[in-house]
Amino acid sequence: MLKNKISEVNRLNLVLRSVFWALAIILGFIQTRSGRYLMWYDGPSYLDIADNYLKGDWTTAINACWSPLYSWILGIALFIFHPSPYWELFLVKSVNFVLYLFALFSFDFFLNQIISYSSDKENRKEGIDDILKKPDWVWIVLGYTIFIWSSIVWILVHRDSPDMMVAALVYLATGFVVRIAMNPLNWSNYVILGFILGLSYLSKSFMLPLGFVYIISIIHISDRISLKSSLLRASISALLMLLVALPFITAISLQKQRFTIGDAGKLNYAWYVSPVANDHYWQGSPETGTPAHPVRTINKNPEIIEFATPISGSYPAWYDPSYWSDGIQPKFDLEKQIYIIKQNLKYLIKLFLAFFLLLFFFLASINKECTIGFLRNIIHNWRFFLTPIAGFISFIIFTDLAVIDEPWIAFQTRYIAPFVLMLFVFVVFSVDVKSVLSKKTLGGIVIVSVILANVALLFQPSFKRRTIEYPVNDIRNYHWQVADNLAKMGVRPGDRVAVLGFDDEELYWARLAKVKIIAAMSADYYSSKKRKKTIALNVLKKAGVNALVIPSLPPWVSDKDLSPDWDKIGETKTYIYKF
């Protein structure tokens, strides 16, 4: 009888897991396909870096801003498939989808560990008859629902960045922390954890300090191991993490001629917190510092900024922001820091913290013992909460999470998504639901919560723009069309071009056309007098520019405002002036 019951439970779990895997894969594929014509602004930099690794030009490829692992993976895909310019974007989206599947697998591993650990802990609690054990299906339904939400809404499957890979490695590392808690004597778990943490650093530099938080969390994580033995094993994890990370740390430190694990954190603080410097075309100020090698202003009105040398890439200004920003001085301003922290906390409360407060008050409404047990378990399981809380604190302090309040872009939620998911799972893990709540009631609460979550997902205003086809400028395969038509109009690989406007979001076409953007001109050009326009164009010509491109016209300008010397590029809303 017991065997039959266990078999039924396992069958239910397998069916549920299969359903959610299928749902996650289908939704992930839909979003990947819907974004197949989009190239996110960091993507071309990662691809250009991948090219330099493939060419063996490691000096140029080493970059203190963009972490290397995503470029390595893209480089492997480029090496295997050798895509034509037309198919390159589709290959990148396929890589992103594979990384999403990796995140799904990693989360499944993490969830299996937490289910096993939860069952083990609940079975060893005193007064087991007074505790309503959380069935496995509750973990599966709630866990996969929040995973799908966080991946599709907060990270974006089609985003051309390492954020999905970071999330996958966070899930894997946390799963091994839970596994160590269950079996603290197994050396292999510590070895694998150290290797994963090293890879995490290679995917995003902030994961190195967070890796040490992981190491702290596993020290004496169980009473089944002595403190001395635990410290020895944790040291092995730390050593392996550093062994994986040190070669790249050494390379960028030698390049910068100073010790650094990466400049992304410093730059984000300077760009978004204090003293708020321009992330593009920074030329210094008394508040922000003096650039060691700034971009060059070659015309004042309209302003033209040139950045042809010495950085490579199709768009040198964003290939290595750490080079152009050398000399920037982030400054601690208490008043501004408090303001940023307040703004970030408001943003997080609106995003998800309100849910946790509602959960707490719900538990308090059941009975006093349930609330006390919940708080007691959170304190007892503090090691599990250490990493997600450390992740939140780092982003609350060092960046502005609400800097771009455009939900479909998911600009900063991609950073915190895996930590929200972990926090959610560990909060559920810490809940002791007393037997005053029946299994049917618990099941009803879970089902209603999942339905509400999915309804919210489907009907939120931002969801459509995340999932339906959203071609750039209403043009299918915009970047390829621009690149292809540039070639037909006489622009050749290796030509040097300038762009009109300081917006860098839609410049992937330059990589496909194999041209180099070496300058950008202010949109003040449109309102300038004819004489100043002529002077500006002559300045660009003397700088070696072969063509000036308008990626998209500002809302206040129409094509009728352009002189006859401007040609429309194919069916796009992009224009070119050839010298």
Side-chain angles (χ1 to χ4, degrees):
M1 184 73 176
L2 183 60
K3 285 184 178 180
N4 290 337
K5 189 172 183 180
I6 293 173
S7 179
E8 288 178 9
V9 170
N10 290 338
R11 192 179 301 114
L12 173 64
N13 293 342
L14 179 61
V15 169
L16 282 174
R17 183 171 267 109
S18 300
V19 168
F20 275 99
W21 266 74
L23 182 62
I25 291 170
I26 291 169
L27 289 176
F29 177 78
I30 290 172
Q31 190 177 72
T32 302
R33 186 181 181 280
S34 70
R36 65 192 182 278
Y37 299 130
L38 286 171
M39 171 56 77
W40 294 85
Y41 38 84
D42 297 343
S45 298
Y46 283 109
L47 284 164
D48 289 342
I49 292 168
D51 281 346
N52 284 321
Y53 277 117
L54 289 174
K55 289 186 291 188
D57 187 1
W58 287 52
T59 302
T60 306
I62 298 297
N63 195 304
C65 183
W66 311 118
S67 297
L69 190 55
Y70 185 56
S71 289
W72 294 347
I73 292 172
L74 289 175
I76 292 170
L78 293 172
F79 177 77
I80 293 173
F81 294 101
H82 298 288
S84 66
Y86 179 85
W87 289 106
E88 182 181 83
L89 183 55
F90 298 103
L91 178 64
V92 173
K93 298 305 175 184
S94 299
V95 169
N96 295 338
F97 183 67
V98 170
L99 290 175
Y100 170 68
L101 295 181
F102 174 47
L104 179 60
F105 166 80
S106 300
F107 174 74
D108 186 72
F109 171 78
F110 164 61
L111 192 63
N112 281 333
Q113 302 309 309
I114 204 72
I115 289 172
S116 299
Y117 187 65
S118 173
S119 178
D120 183 51
K121 291 289 284 187
E122 287 174 337
N123 289 336
R124 288 191 283 108
K125 284 178 182 175
E126 294 181 6
I128 189 69
D129 293 337
D130 198 30
I131 299 293
L132 180 61
K133 182 173 180 263
K134 293 181 281 292
D136 291 354
W137 70 265
V138 169
W139 287 108
I140 294 169
V141 171
L142 287 178
Y144 277 105
T145 297
I146 195 70
F147 168 80
I148 292 171
W149 178 286
S150 65
S151 298
I152 289 178
V153 178
W154 287 346
I155 299 177
L156 304 184
V157 181
H158 56 62
R159 178 183 287 279
D160 312 300
S161 73
D163 299 290
M164 191 67 75
M165 180 170 54
V166 173
L169 293 169
V170 165
Y171 303 144
L172 268 184
T174 310
F176 274 96
V177 169
V178 177
R179 178 173 275 196
I180 288 170
M182 289 189 288
N183 187 3
L185 298 175
N186 189 326
W187 282 90
S188 63
N189 291 331
Y190 295 88
V191 171
I192 296 171
L193 176 63
F195 181 71
I196 292 170
L197 293 177
L199 289 179
S200 299
Y201 161 71
L202 295 176
S203 63
K204 282 263 177 152
S205 58
F206 84 91
M207 288 299 297
L208 186 65
L210 201 64
F212 286 105
V213 177
Y214 271 106
I215 302 299
I216 292 170
S217 72
I218 62 174
I219 296 174
H220 207 217
I221 197 170
S222 171
D223 295 333
R224 286 175 279 180
I225 187 172
S226 67
L227 178 59
K228 182 179 179 181
S229 296
S230 180
L231 282 169
L232 179 61
R233 286 165 169 78
S235 299
I236 295 297
S237 294
L239 179 62
L240 278 166
M241 176 181 72
L242 291 174
L243 283 174
V244 174
L246 273 175
F248 189 73
I249 293 174
T250 303
I252 58 175
S253 296
L254 289 172
Q255 183 191 68
K256 293 295 182 184
Q257 297 183 333
R258 56 180 166 81
F259 175 79
T260 179
I261 64 170
D263 286 356
K266 180 181 79 171
L267 294 178
N268 271 278
Y269 192 83
W271 291 339
Y272 303 123
V273 180
S274 180
V276 186
N278 191 352
D279 59 352
H280 285 67
Y281 318 134
W282 175 66
Q283 298 180 68
S285 70
E287 295 79 21
T288 60
T290 304
H293 15 70
V295 293
R296 297 162 287 273
T297 299
I298 57 176
N299 195 66
K300 288 189 176 179
N301 187 14
E303 185 179 15
I304 300 175
I305 295 173
E306 180 265 327
F307 37 82
T309 58
I311 301 300
S312 70
S314 54
Y315 181 45
W318 203 238
Y319 177 87
D320 186 2
S322 71
Y323 173 84
W324 304 109
S325 298
D326 265 343
I328 200 167
Q329 297 295 329
K331 296 176 183 176
F332 179 76
D333 182 327
L334 181 60
E335 185 178 346
K336 192 154 195 178
Q337 188 68 72
I338 292 172
Y339 171 78
I340 289 292
I341 290 172
K342 283 182 178 179
Q343 289 293 103
N344 286 338
L345 287 175
K346 286 180 183 178
Y347 178 74
L348 291 176
I349 287 171
K350 186 172 74 172
L351 194 66
F352 76 93
L353 286 179
F355 168 78
F356 289 113
L357 291 173
L358 285 172
L359 176 63
F360 178 78
F361 288 120
F362 169 73
L363 294 171
S365 69
I366 296 176
N367 56 43
K368 183 179 178 182
E369 289 181 21
C370 194
T371 308
I372 294 172
F374 175 57
L375 295 175
R376 188 191 300 122
N377 285 340
I378 286 179
I379 295 170
H380 179 73
N381 299 319
W382 67 269
R383 287 179 177 83
F384 290 156
F385 287 90
L386 196 60
T387 304
I389 289 175
F392 280 125
I393 290 174
S394 64
F395 289 117
I396 287 172
I397 294 174
F398 292 108
T399 193
D400 185 353
L401 293 173
V403 65
I404 296 181
D405 192 19
E406 183 68 51
W408 84 275
I409 294 177
F411 184 70
Q412 304 289 33
T413 53
R414 58 198 169 111
Y415 297 148
I416 62 172
F419 303 113
V420 174
L421 180 50
M422 283 198 300
L423 192 62
F424 173 83
V425 170
F426 290 138
V427 164
V428 173
F429 172 74
S430 299
V431 173
D432 278 345
V433 185
K434 297 292 181 179
S435 57
V436 294
L437 200 65
S438 69
K439 287 189 176 182
K440 287 185 178 180
T441 306
L442 176 64
I445 292 171
V446 171
I447 291 170
V448 169
S449 300
V450 170
I451 291 173
L452 289 175
N454 283 284
V455 168
L457 172 65
L458 291 172
F459 287 94
Q460 65 164 331
S462 63
F463 182 72
K464 289 183 179 180
R465 296 188 78 177
R466 292 173 192 269
T467 54
I468 64 170
E469 190 170 303
Y470 186 68
V472 181
N473 294 335
D474 300 320
I475 301 295
R476 293 169 66 89
N477 211 348
Y478 163 80
H479 297 288
W480 162 249
Q481 286 207 37
V482 172
D484 186 46
N485 280 287
L486 283 176
K488 293 174 182 177
M489 299 171 81
V491 177
R492 297 289 175 251
D495 279 356
R496 292 147 65 100
V497 303
V499 290
L500 182 46
F502 288 160
D503 187 354
D504 69 336
E505 290 185 7
E506 307 298 349
L507 303 180
Y508 174 55
W509 49 264
R511 172 180 165 79
L512 297 182
K514 294 182 170 55
V515 299
K516 185 175 184 178
I517 298 171
I518 68 161
M521 182 159 58
S522 166
D524 292 339
Y525 171 86
Y526 296 109
S527 57
S528 297
K529 293 182 179 179
K530 185 176 180 179
R531 178 174 169 274
K532 288 188 175 182
K533 287 182 178 180
T534 302
I535 292 172
L537 293 173
N538 286 332
V539 168
L540 287 174
K541 187 176 181 179
K542 287 179 182 178
V545 173
N546 302 108
L548 175 61
V549 176
I550 302 175
S552 59
L553 288 171
W556 64 88
V557 178
S558 73
D559 54 357
K560 295 178 182 178
D561 298 323
L562 300 177
S563 70
D565 297 321
W566 289 90
D567 295 314
K568 190 176 183 181
I569 301 177
E571 300 291 324
T572 71
K573 298 177 182 178
T574 300
Y575 296 83
I576 183 173
Y577 180 99
K578 291 185 64 181
F579 293 98

